[in-house]
Amino acid sequence: MSALVIGFCGCAGVSPEAEAGVKVEKVISAYKIGAYSDVESVKSKLASAGFEVVGTKATDSGTTVLFTNAQMKTMANKPTRALAAVGRILVDDEHKQLSIANPIYFGKAFMQGEYNHATSAATLAALEKAFGPLKDSADKWEFAGLAGYHFMVGMPYYEEMMVVGEGSTADLVAKAQKAKGTTAVVKVGEDRYVAFVEMDRRTNGFVKKTGTQNAQLLPWAVLIEGGQAKALSAKYFIAISYPLLTMNEFMTIATVPGAIENDLKKIFK
C-alpha cells in the first residue's frame, strides 16, 4: 500500500486527465493548505465568497467549519450524492494552518459518475480566492481512481454505506436535530438532508492516531433520504480522508469502525 501511494504521489508531472473535456491533474490532493486564520475570519471570508456557513465543531486540533452554496446543493441533490453538498475547513490550531477539503477530490469520490467538474472547480476557485495562496497537502490520490476508491481488496466502496436508522424523513431529521451535539442538519432537496452528528468522545479520539491534521472528517455526516439514515462506512471514509494511511496504522484503530456504527445507531434508534 505504501509503495502504491508513493507511486501515485510521484506522478504529478505526467499528462492530466480529462473530465467532460476539461483538463484535470492526474493526481489530486485531498486537502488545500492555507495560512492560519481564526474561526470568525474564516466564516467572514466564506460569506464574502458566496458560501453559507452551516455550522462549526471543535475538534482535538481546532475547529471544523462546514459550508455550502446553491451550486453545491444542486450538484449533489441526487440519490446517495448529498454528502458532496457540504464542504469542510479545519481551522487547525495545532499545526497553525487552514486545511480545506478539496472539492475536486471529495466531489469525484462522492459524486462518482455524476461528478460535475465545472461546479467543483468553481468551488475550489472561490476558496482559493478567499483563502489563497493555497498549497497541496501531502495526502493525494489519482483522480481517475477516486470514484471507485477502496482501501484494499475486501474493503468497502463509497456506495456500501451503513444504514443507521429507518423511518420517515421527518422523523429521522427530528432525531438528528434533537441529538446532543449535532452541529447542523442541512436540507439539500425536498426529501434529502445531511446531518452532522456527534459521536462519543472516546470514538472521536481515533484522530489522535490517524493524524489530527485531517480532523475535519469530524463531525460525522449522515445522509437522510428515502426513509433511511445512511452513513459512509468508517473503513471507507477514514481511508479516503487519510490516503497515506498504511495497513499497520489502520489496524491501530481496528475497533473504531464498529464504535462509529454503534454511536450513529443510538442517535436514530
Side-chain angles (χ1 to χ4, degrees), residues 208-258:
K208 294 177 182 178
K209 294 183 178 181
T210 53
T212 56
Q213 76 281 357
N214 296 351
Q216 65 266 71
L217 87 166
L218 299 175
W220 210 267
V222 177
L223 169 62
I224 299 173
E225 64 179 11
Q228 291 185 321
K230 298 176 288 187
L232 291 174
S233 165
K235 293 178 182 178
Y236 169 88
F237 191 39
I238 293 172
I240 201 167
S241 298
Y242 290 89
L244 299 182
L245 197 68
T246 67
M247 176 54 72
N248 286 340
E249 290 170 328
F250 200 93
M251 290 305 296
T252 66
I253 59 165
T255 62
V256 170

Side-chain angles (χ1 to χ4, degrees), residues 157-264:
Y157 293 86
Y158 172 85
E159 58 269 24
E160 296 180 78
M161 296 184 184
M162 48 188 174
V163 177
V164 296
E166 294 186 289
S168 70
T169 297
D171 181 51
L172 293 170
V173 167
K175 287 180 178 180
Q177 291 173 328
K178 292 176 182 177
K180 182 179 179 180
T182 293
T183 301
V185 179
V186 181
K187 185 175 182 178
V188 178
E190 191 58 37
D191 184 45
R192 189 163 292 123
Y193 295 78
V194 180
F196 294 87
V197 298
E198 176 75 345
M199 297 183 297
D200 185 89
R201 182 168 180 79
R202 183 181 299 179
T203 304
N204 288 339
F206 75 87
V207 297
K208 294 177 182 178
K209 294 183 178 181
T210 53
T212 56
Q213 76 281 357
N214 296 351
Q216 65 266 71
L217 87 166
L218 299 175
W220 210 267
V222 177
L223 169 62
I224 299 173
E225 64 179 11
Q228 291 185 321
K230 298 176 288 187
L232 291 174
S233 165
K235 293 178 182 178
Y236 169 88
F237 191 39
I238 293 172
I240 201 167
S241 298
Y242 290 89
L244 299 182
L245 197 68
T246 67
M247 176 54 72
N248 286 340
E249 290 170 328
F250 200 93
M251 290 305 296
T252 66
I253 59 165
T255 62
V256 170
I260 289 174
E261 184 171 2
N262 289 337
D263 285 357
L264 297 179

Side-chain angles (χ1 to χ4, degrees), residues 79-147:
T80 73
R81 305 302 187 210
L83 298 178
V86 181
R88 301 171 183 249
I89 298 178
L90 176 64
V91 180
D92 190 340
D93 299 328
E94 180 180 345
H95 301 94
K96 298 301 178 184
Q97 64 183 20
L98 298 182
S99 181
I100 303 171
N102 188 342
I104 294 177
Y105 179 96
F106 287 98
K108 181 65 173 178
F110 294 174
M111 295 298 297
Q112 302 186 344
E114 296 173 285
Y115 171 72
N116 185 315
H117 185 64
T119 298
S120 294
T123 301
L124 178 57
L127 293 168
E128 288 177 325
K129 184 176 181 180
F131 298 104
L134 303 176
K135 63 181 182 179
D136 290 342
S137 65
D139 300 272
K140 296 178 173 70
W141 202 259
E142 279 195 341
F143 176 80
L146 286 168

Side-chain angles (χ1 to χ4, degrees), residues 16-47:
E17 301 286 334
E19 181 73 25
V22 179
K23 290 183 178 180
V24 183
E25 292 300 319
K26 185 172 183 177
V27 177
I28 300 293
S29 64
Y31 306 99
K32 291 288 185 175
I33 308 301
Y36 179 73
S37 184
D38 61 47
V39 173
E40 290 306 313
S41 294
V42 168
K43 291 166 65 176
S44 177
K45 289 180 179 179
L46 283 169

